[in-house]
Amino acid sequence: MSAQAPHILYVGAILPKRSETFVYREVLGLRERGVQVSLASVNAPERDLGYEQLDALAAEAIHVYGNGVSGKLRVLGDTFFPPNRVSWRCGISETPVSYWPKYLFQVDAGKSLARRVKDRGITHVHAHMAHVPATLAMICAEALRVPFSFTGHAADLFRDRSALKTKLKSAAFVSCISEWHRGFYQELVPGLSDATLPVIRCGVDMREFTPIDPESTDGNAILAVGRLVPKKGFDVLLRVMASVPEVKLTLVGDGPEEANLRALADELGVADRVTFAGAQPNHVVREMLGDAGLFVLPCREAADGDRDGIPVVLMEAMARNVCVVSGDLETIRELVADNKTGVMVTPGAVDELAEVLVRLLRDQAERKRLADAGRARVAEEFSLSVNLDRLEAAFAAASESLESEKNTDSPKPEAIPGAGVNHA
């Protein structure tokens, strides 16, 4: 009897989302390879993202929480009858007591999601983001009796962590976006094998990112892209501009720091050289990269512990053949090798960043050398095709493991109605 064809349920906080290109690229890439994929978005999907494909994804995604009070009541109604009990193995004991009400609602939402997809033939549930989406995915998968996995990134692992050890123990595999992430997980849960922690990068479709000639761009034009939040270090970049008067900056993104950054630009007298472009769809960012002399992302660890994993926008700039400058975080070193595939600077060091920018702006040949090496690095290790191969292999291994368990004569763990997680 042949194995059941894979049907993966992808769970995201917002799916699709403008800034999370790496999630919808995986979904579309898997579908292009013939894999059936369904979508669940915890919160309402974003719409009007500039592509018909993405509009179609938004239209088909299951909105888990629904709209307003009625949506929340539906979640609770889905799980109230027949009576369920929540297993203490679902991870609640790992969360602060003050967070229990929210966590228990997330558990119910996972069970509700399972009921909504139970007739689709789901064979695996995968989440992007290790906090709320992974909680729902873990519970949903247990209710469906299928494997669960997740990809962790940044704030979901540091600032907003919830029941992470439970999820690591419960997952058939955990997709690691970096070698650093693999080591981080193994420190949290000693004994996790490399085989269950495959390194699967957030991939860039090299077909979409045609290389530019760095010699044809304006060396004084700097592009920066990211959420306007403290960990991105855009305030550092504005301070640098005060001492490098020839630089022009286009800053793409929105976020809670926008008003502060605009005020700082005014205070420093550089506002006339800064364009706040707001959030832009990915195809517009690709076009902007074609005009950039440098791409700069001076990221750092924020006061609340939030920090980047490996920003996909750095990969995109390198894939476009643009020279990049990044804040020196350990994870990013796997992408940007200092003075080889880009330049790394000490996070928060205004003078150091200014010196680097002046040097690169004056040395077109050096920018081209770094840009060419950067594109080669992305093609070798961070391309979508390479990492879809790895992801498909991980899904297949999880399926084979489940089939092997089903075919053994060993006793099966007792099912916990609606929510339990097996740690055997």
Side-chain angles (χ1 to χ4, degrees), residues 74-98:
R74 184 189 63 202
V75 167
L76 295 174
D78 277 351
T79 58
F80 190 77
F81 295 106
N84 292 263
R85 62 190 179 88
V86 175
S87 168
W88 286 91
R89 292 179 293 171
C90 77
I92 191 170
S93 60
E94 201 186 327
T95 65
V97 173
S98 60

Side-chain angles (χ1 to χ4, degrees), residues 3 119 165 383:
D119 296 326
K165 292 181 182 179
S383 71

Side-chain angles (χ1 to χ4, degrees), residues 28 123 211 222 241 261 275 278 303 313-314 338 341 399:
L28 295 174
T123 62
I222 292 178
M241 292 186 65
L261 291 171
T275 300
V313 71
L314 275 173
D338 189 34
T341 61
S399 177

Side-chain angles (χ1 to χ4, degrees), residues 187-383:
E187 285 184 9
L188 279 176
V189 181
L192 289 178
S193 68
D194 286 357
T196 60
L197 298 172
V199 175
I200 303 172
R201 313 288 190 173
C202 296
V204 172
D205 191 340
M206 299 299 288
R207 298 170 300 180
E208 296 180 352
F209 288 84
T210 53
I212 63 168
D213 179 4
E215 295 181 354
S216 68
T217 60
D218 180 355
N220 291 327
I222 292 178
L223 181 65
V225 180
R227 284 274 294 157
L228 305 186
V229 293
K231 72 176 180 180
K232 297 297 183 180
F234 293 138
D235 57 316
V236 176
L237 185 52
L238 292 177
R239 294 184 188 282
V240 166
M241 292 186 65
S243 60
V244 188
E246 62 267 39
V247 165
K248 298 171 292 183
L249 170 65
T250 299
L251 182 53
V252 178
D254 56 16
E257 288 295 302
E258 181 172 350
N260 291 338
L261 291 171
R262 287 182 178 274
L264 180 61
D266 286 334
E267 177 187 329
L268 295 170
V270 300
D272 61 328
R273 292 186 284 125
V274 180
T275 300
F276 286 87
Q280 297 293 335
N282 193 249
H283 69 278
V284 173
V285 173
R286 285 202 305 270
E287 293 171 4
M288 289 179 165
L289 284 167
D291 297 324
L294 283 173
F295 183 89
V296 183
L297 189 67
C299 44
R300 62 189 173 198
E301 182 173 347
D304 62 2
D306 192 13
R307 51 185 161 170
D308 276 309
I310 304 181
V312 173
V313 71
L314 275 173
M315 303 174 202
E316 293 176 342
M318 294 164 74
R320 200 79 162 90
N321 218 40
V322 179
C323 179
V324 302
V325 179
S326 171
D328 187 7
L329 299 182
E330 190 172 4
T331 48
I332 297 176
R333 293 175 197 163
E334 296 180 34
L335 172 67
V336 182
D338 189 34
N339 287 313
K340 294 180 180 178
T341 61
V343 179
M344 301 284 262
V345 295
T346 305
V350 175
D351 291 344
E352 181 183 343
L353 179 57
E355 290 174 8
V356 167
L357 296 188
V358 168
R359 173 169 63 85
L360 290 175
L361 291 172
R362 294 174 179 173
D363 193 338
Q364 188 179 72
E366 177 70 352
R367 293 202 311 274
K368 185 176 188 309
R369 179 186 73 83
L370 293 169
D372 290 345
R375 178 173 165 83
R377 174 60 177 159
V378 173
E380 172 192 38
E381 178 63 18
F382 294 86
S383 71

